Amino acid sequence: MSRQKPRLARIADALGVSTATVSNALSGKGRVSPELAERIRATAAELGYVPSVAGRALRTGRSGVLGLVLADISNPLFPKLAQAIENSAAKVGYGILIADSHGDVTAQTQAIERLIERGVDGMIVVPRRGTWVTGASCPVAVIDSPSTPGNTVAADHWSGGQGLGLHLYSLGHKHVLLLGNSTASNVQNDRLGGVKAGLGSAKVETIWIEKLEAQSGQGCSLGLAEAVARGVTAIAAISDLVALRALTELQRAGIAVPEDVSVTGFDDLIWSSVITPGLTTMRMDVATIADIAIAAVLDAINQPHVAGSRGTDGDTVIASQPKVPMELVVRQSTGPARKSAYPNDNKTDNLTAGELIQ
Amino acid sequence: MSRQKPRLARIADALGVSTATVSNALSGKGRVSPELAERIRATAAELGYVPSVAGRALRTGRSGVLGLVLADISNPLFPKLAQAIENSAAKVGYGILIADSHGDVTAQTQAIERLIERGVDGMIVVPRRGTWVTGASCPVAVIDSPSTPGNTVAADHWSGGQGLGLHLYSLGHKHVLLLGNSTASNVQNDRLGGVKAGLGSAKVETIWIEKLEAQSGQGCSLGLAEAVARGVTAIAAISDLVALRALTELQRAGIAVPEDVSVTGFDDLIWSSVITPGLTTMRMDVATIADIAIAAVLDAINQPHVAGSRGTDGDTVIASQPKVPMELVVRQSTGPARKSAYPNDNKTDNLTAGELIQ
DNA sequence: CTGAAAGCGCTTACAG
DNA sequence: CTGAAAGCGCTTACAG
């Protein structure tokens, strides 16, 4: 029972052929007669042959591994994305090495360097907002936003937003509050821009939470009850996470969703369907995005004339920007706009928006 | 400016020494005079030398890469864990290759095989509930639960539960509802067992959601309003995800948290602090768990006398079970038990538990 | 303290 | 259709 780790040569010896022939047979290069190839495959399987990735990598100069850099690995979307990318990579015979960058820019650069040192053939980067991917000496696909220069592939956040806006508009909402985090994010600007477009003639207010919290402190009230009192009948949040914050703040204030106000998110995170009411949201097609990103990197790897251009140490970021459609998921958190002013509150429309609202 | 990818030999040539000496100098094996070593390091840095992992791997038989298998990559805890493990591995010079197993048992085995084929030196597995890790021909550290045979390291879920139970008990809760998912999970049994222990003499009911949904359908009501009417003053959920479901169901029913009923979770997921009220929960020390898991795998890798025992193709699972303490995070979702029966409801204590409640 | 040499396992021109 | 040979880049005994 005691057998050594079998090498290519063992198969060759067992059959009395050369290692070259075994290699050719196994890689299906076709330079071997079908019968012999079949016998070789059989013997390899029988011996439990597992090719040495190190040997192959050293000879071919390819590691068969791609790096994945998530700006913020604690991003709730990470699981889905990592899963999708690992799947897409596995389909084409690649492995995925992860690198964490703590959401911090210098760490992102270090993470990229670490991956290079590990010999990755290319990488996929989901950068931190407003960050440039730089200094990678291998092909890099960037998943950010269609409006980001250097972006490789991304969800069509703008159209997704538009879909959400149309959904709300068709439910009769004429006064909508938008909840964003940071104006520095292309993704966020795309999303909210789309929502506005979809909302057409409806009245729109926007709150940027980062700004609000800079003044009123982390975790402060979003002033949602006041907004509802002011006539807002729907709240479109930049993400499910923000939508959740809004939802619980509303419920805590005794405001019913969707009867008094509708709420929407973005991302369709795992818990979006579990909460009460279920959250209406816009889902990214991560599988397609992953497929395109992987395909782009592989293309670049197999086109040395680009990456191999000597004279510059510059980036090899792949810039082509297919937009992958998003999918509207309607759940119970959205419904028809209430006809009357907020029932528990008489002072309607006579409140000013306040200095924090644009 | 046009320079080739520098190899070890270039440094050797540049200094007129042998590659062996360069290798020794760079690896700090000390067989080189300090002065020469210094010059070699300087030249290497200047030339931008990046060692070839393939060359090293082929020669040493070590890839410098560890595999990470998450039973369910869409598990909300995944980001934190992956981050912690990547960090711990990076500290000791290892990379992390991920493998997704879709939460399905055969896929888990395939994922493990794929990692082996990629030449990992060892792996960390967070298995699916009630699943055995099997057939890995390299050292495997398992992160599951201290009460699982073959477990390597885990959070002390039982003590964590106890801490939560004590917290509730000390707030005066005498009638508590426990919310679990599956009785097949060691982690869940540990957690709820601990909660019960911490609750001492309090009255305890348990609902297993999987069972409930099998009868009443996915996403059905948990019957929380009825429970509160029955006298329950606190609900301890098996996870933050379940706690969130409970919290929104309660809020939707107009039951105030924590005034009418307290709610606790487990895991301290990203959104636990963002919702209103913030969720009291029990946090895992993922960094410590990751450190221990990585250390265990490295130990096993460096002790070939175990892994090298011929005669069996058996597992190389590392069984030693340190329990890492959990940390109580108190937020606003827990408070003193209400003194009176549920204020909006007169029929107290005269409801039977129902067939779904143990 | 330093060097010459072998070899890890594979693939790829190149002959035959 | 098949084989002999070279070599990818490194490290490790082994000499000196």
Side-chain angles (χ1 to χ4, degrees), chain A residues 128-187:
Chain A
R128 197 180 136 71
R129 316 171 180 140
T131 266
W132 300 128
V133 176
T134 169
S137 55
C138 67
V140 176
V142 177
I143 302 180
D144 189 341
S145 146
S147 61
T148 303
N151 181 68
T152 308
V153 56
D156 192 343
H157 297 285
W158 195 93
S159 295
Q162 190 186 28
L164 234 24
L166 286 168
H167 170 64
L168 291 175
Y169 193 75
S170 72
L171 286 169
H173 294 278
K174 303 290 186 207
H175 190 169
V176 179
L177 175 63
L178 272 38
L179 253 28
N181 263 318
S182 161
T183 52
S185 157
N186 286 314
V187 170

Side-chain angles (χ1 to χ4, degrees), chain A residues 53 58 73 78-79 83 86 90 93-98 100 114 117-118 241 248 251-252 257 259 271 276, chain B residues 53 58 73 78-79 83 86 93-98 100 114 117-118 241 248 251-252 257 259 271 276:
Chain A
V53 283
L58 183 54
I73 211 171
F78 178 64
Q83 180 176 44
E86 202 270 331
Y94 269 77
I96 295 291
L97 212 45
I98 56 173
D100 171 33
R114 233 183 300 154
E117 283 167 10
R118 291 238 158 268
L241 194 56
T248 54
Q251 288 187 327
R252 178 79 181 151
V257 177
E259 292 81 357
W271 42 259
T276 307
Chain B
V53 283
L58 183 54
I73 210 170
F78 177 64
Q83 181 176 44
E86 202 271 330
Y94 270 78
I96 295 292
L97 212 45
I98 57 173
D100 171 33
R114 232 184 301 154
E117 282 168 12
R118 292 237 158 269
L241 194 58
T248 54
Q251 288 187 327
R252 178 80 181 152
V257 176
E259 293 80 357
W271 42 259
T276 307

Side-chain angles (χ1 to χ4, degrees), chain A residues 1-5 50-55 57-58 61 63-66 68 72-76 78-80 82-84 86-87 89-90 93-102 114 116-119 241-242 244-245 247-249 251-252 256-259 270-271 274-277 310-313, chain B residues 1-5 50-55 57-58 61 63-66 68 72-76 78-80 82-84 86-87 89-90 93-103 114 116-119 241-242 244-245 247-249 251-252 256-259 270-271 274-277 310-311 313:
Chain A
M1 272 286 120
S2 98
R3 50 167 134 97
Q4 317 251 358
K5 198 184 293 181
V50 176
S52 154
V53 283
L58 183 54
S63 64
V65 172
L66 264 24
L68 172 61
D72 188 3
I73 211 171
S74 66
N75 180 327
F78 178 64
K80 279 181 153 188
Q83 180 176 44
E86 202 270 331
N87 281 341
Y94 269 77
I96 295 291
L97 212 45
I98 56 173
D100 171 33
S101 64
H102 312 79
R114 233 183 300 154
I116 301 275
E117 283 167 10
R118 291 238 158 268
L241 194 56
V242 171
L244 180 61
R245 179 170 173 181
L247 196 70
T248 54
E249 180 171 327
Q251 288 187 327
R252 178 79 181 151
V257 177
E259 292 81 357
I270 191 94
W271 42 259
V274 156
I275 56 178
T276 307
R310 307 194 211 125
T312 19
D313 280 5
Chain B
M1 273 284 119
S2 99
R3 50 166 134 98
Q4 318 251 358
K5 198 184 295 181
V50 177
S52 154
V53 283
L58 183 54
S63 63
V65 173
L66 263 24
L68 173 61
D72 189 3
I73 210 170
S74 64
N75 181 325
F78 177 64
K80 280 180 153 187
Q83 181 176 44
E86 202 271 330
N87 281 341
Y94 270 78
I96 295 292
L97 212 45
I98 57 173
D100 171 33
S101 64
H102 312 80
R114 232 184 301 154
I116 301 275
E117 282 168 12
R118 292 237 158 269
L241 194 58
V242 171
L244 180 61
R245 180 170 172 182
L247 196 70
T248 54
E249 180 172 326
Q251 288 187 327
R252 178 80 181 152
V257 176
E259 293 80 357
I270 191 94
W271 42 259
V274 156
I275 57 178
T276 307
R310 304 192 213 128
D313 280 5

Side-chain angles (χ1 to χ4, degrees), chain B residues 75-154:
Chain B
N75 181 325
L77 205 54
F78 177 64
K80 280 180 153 187
L81 246 174
Q83 181 176 44
I85 288 180
E86 202 271 330
N87 281 341
S88 299
K91 278 190 283 183
V92 292
Y94 270 78
I96 295 292
L97 212 45
I98 57 173
D100 171 33
S101 64
H102 312 80
D104 138 29
V105 185
T106 63
Q108 178 171 298
T109 309
Q110 288 172 354
I112 291 176
E113 276 166 12
R114 232 184 301 154
L115 289 174
I116 301 275
E117 282 168 12
R118 292 237 158 269
V120 299
D121 295 336
M123 33 201 272
I124 316 277
V125 180
V126 185
R128 194 182 139 71
R129 315 171 182 142
T131 267
W132 299 128
V133 175
T134 169
S137 54
C138 67
V140 176
V142 177
I143 303 180
D144 189 340
S145 146
S147 60
T148 303
N151 181 69
T152 309
V153 57

Side-chain angles (χ1 to χ4, degrees), chain A residues 69 105-114 116 123 125 127-128 130-142 149-150 313-318:
Chain A
V69 182
V105 185
T106 62
Q108 178 171 297
T109 308
Q110 288 171 354
I112 292 176
E113 275 166 14
R114 233 183 300 154
I116 301 275
M123 32 202 273
V125 180
R128 197 180 136 71
T131 266
W132 300 128
V133 176
T134 169
S137 55
C138 67
V140 176
V142 177
D313 280 5
D315 307 355
T316 335
V317 173
I318 306 154

Side-chain angles (χ1 to χ4, degrees), chain B residues 13-347:
Chain B
D13 289 356
L15 270 64
V17 298
S18 74
T19 59
T21 299
V22 175
S23 174
N24 280 325
L26 258 28
S27 64
K29 287 275 194 332
R31 305 140 140 293
V32 186
S33 70
E35 303 76 32
L36 217 204
E38 187 44 45
R39 282 174 54 214
I40 290 176
R41 273 191 293 272
T43 313
E46 186 183 331
L47 259 40
Y49 172 68
V50 177
S52 154
V53 283
R56 179 176 300 168
L58 183 54
R59 175 63 227 230
T60 62
R62 300 279 177 78
S63 63
V65 173
L66 263 24
L68 173 61
V69 182
L70 275 291
D72 189 3
I73 210 170
S74 64
N75 181 325
L77 205 54
F78 177 64
K80 280 180 153 187
L81 246 174
Q83 181 176 44
I85 288 180
E86 202 271 330
N87 281 341
S88 299
K91 278 190 283 183
V92 292
Y94 270 78
I96 295 292
L97 212 45
I98 57 173
D100 171 33
S101 64
H102 312 80
D104 138 29
V105 185
T106 63
Q108 178 171 298
T109 309
Q110 288 172 354
I112 291 176
E113 276 166 12
R114 232 184 301 154
L115 289 174
I116 301 275
E117 282 168 12
R118 292 237 158 269
V120 299
D121 295 336
M123 33 201 272
I124 316 277
V125 180
V126 185
R128 194 182 139 71
R129 315 171 182 142
T131 267
W132 299 128
V133 175
T134 169
S137 54
C138 67
V140 176
V142 177
I143 303 180
D144 189 340
S145 146
S147 60
T148 303
N151 181 69
T152 309
V153 57
D156 191 343
H157 297 285
W158 195 93
S159 295
Q162 189 186 28
L164 233 25
L166 285 169
H167 170 65
L168 291 175
Y169 194 75
S170 72
L171 286 168
H173 294 277
K174 302 291 186 206
H175 189 170
V176 179
L177 175 63
L178 271 38
L179 253 28
N181 264 318
S182 161
T183 52
S185 157
N186 286 314
V187 170
Q188 296 193 26
N189 286 319
D190 284 4
R191 287 181 171 187
L192 295 192
V195 174
K196 276 182 201 163
L199 247 15
S201 60
K203 180 175 172 189
V204 170
E205 303 176 16
T206 305
I207 293 182
W208 295 100
I209 297 179
E210 232 176 55
K211 242 190 265 180
L212 180 65
E213 292 195 326
Q215 295 190 218
S216 313
Q218 199 75 16
C220 64
S221 160
L222 265 20
L224 266 23
E226 293 81 351
V228 172
R230 202 190 301 139
V232 164
T233 65
I235 298 176
I238 199 64
S239 70
D240 284 359
L241 194 58
V242 171
L244 180 61
R245 180 170 172 182
L247 196 70
T248 54
E249 180 172 326
L250 289 165
Q251 288 187 327
R252 178 80 181 152
I255 299 171
V257 176
E259 293 80 357
D260 295 334
V261 63
S262 289
V263 174
T264 67
F266 263 100
D267 293 342
D268 193 27
L269 296 186
I270 191 94
W271 42 259
S272 306
S273 60
V274 156
I275 57 178
T276 307
L279 188 62
T280 292
T281 188
M282 193 52 78
R283 180 192 289 160
M284 279 172 55
D285 182 356
V286 283
T288 300
I289 291 172
D291 281 345
I292 295 176
I294 295 287
V297 179
L298 290 199
D299 270 8
I301 290 174
N302 295 321
Q303 301 198 352
H305 62 84
V306 176
S309 65
R310 304 192 213 128
T312 19
D313 280 5
D315 308 355
T316 335
V317 173
I318 306 154
S320 79
Q321 322 207 21
K323 302 177 189 179
V324 179
M326 298 185 88
E327 185 192 352
L328 178 65
V329 182
V330 178
R331 298 207 182 88
Q332 305 91 319
S333 72
T334 47
R338 66 173 195 276
K339 290 296 176 245
S340 57
Y342 185 57
N344 303 337
D345 200 322
N346 302 324
K347 40 186 163 88

Side-chain angles (χ1 to χ4, degrees), chain A residues 6 14 26 47 71 79 117 123 135 138 142 149 163 166 170 176 214 222 256-257 273 280 322 325 335 339 344 356 358:
Chain A
L26 258 27
L47 260 40
E117 283 167 10
M123 32 202 273
C138 67
V142 177
L166 286 168
S170 72
V176 179
L222 265 20
V257 177
S273 60
T280 292
K339 292 294 176 242
N344 303 339
L356 289 164
Q358 307 187 329

